[in-house]
Amino acid sequence: MELAFWTLLIIWGAGIPVGIYAFVHAALQRADAFTAADKLSKPAWLGITGGGALVLILFRGPMTIFWIAGMVAVLVYIVDVRPKVTEVQKGSSW
């Protein structure tokens, strides 16, 4: 029981900075980069990542469905959207 408690505590503690990072990264990107990368608009991703980060902060631990939904939202941004938006802004390497 102790191992499960500490594992969930670490996951919860790591989720909060991940959510904040996703929101800050989305806020610092150009708005046209999101549409150029064929993703949702910047305000939409700010809402998704901001809402996800808020849920990660407010809901105590990964034992709730809301916390899992918030984590999935910010991870989708980090894994799918962030690389494409960054690539669009860097331009071609040619």
Side-chain angles (χ1 to χ4, degrees):
M1 181 95 128
E2 285 292 319
L3 179 62
F5 171 77
W6 287 107
T7 303
L8 291 176
L9 187 66
I10 290 170
I11 291 171
W12 174 71
I16 293 172
V18 169
I20 293 170
Y21 170 77
F23 177 74
V24 169
H25 186 273
L28 295 176
Q29 304 310 305
R30 292 190 336 237
D32 62 332
F34 288 89
T35 53
D38 200 25
K39 300 297 177 187
L40 294 175
S41 66
K42 179 177 180 173
W45 279 110
L46 284 174
I48 292 168
T49 57
L54 189 63
V55 165
L56 292 174
I57 292 168
L58 294 179
F59 287 88
R60 301 283 181 201
M63 296 298 287
T64 65
I65 191 73
F66 295 113
W67 192 92
I68 293 169
M71 192 65 182
V72 167
V74 298
L75 288 177
V76 164
Y77 177 81
I78 288 174
V79 172
D80 183 42
V81 178
R82 185 183 63 89
K84 300 269 173 59
V85 169
T86 304
E87 181 181 325
V88 164
Q89 292 183 87
K90 271 200 306 192
S92 177
S93 61
W94 290 91

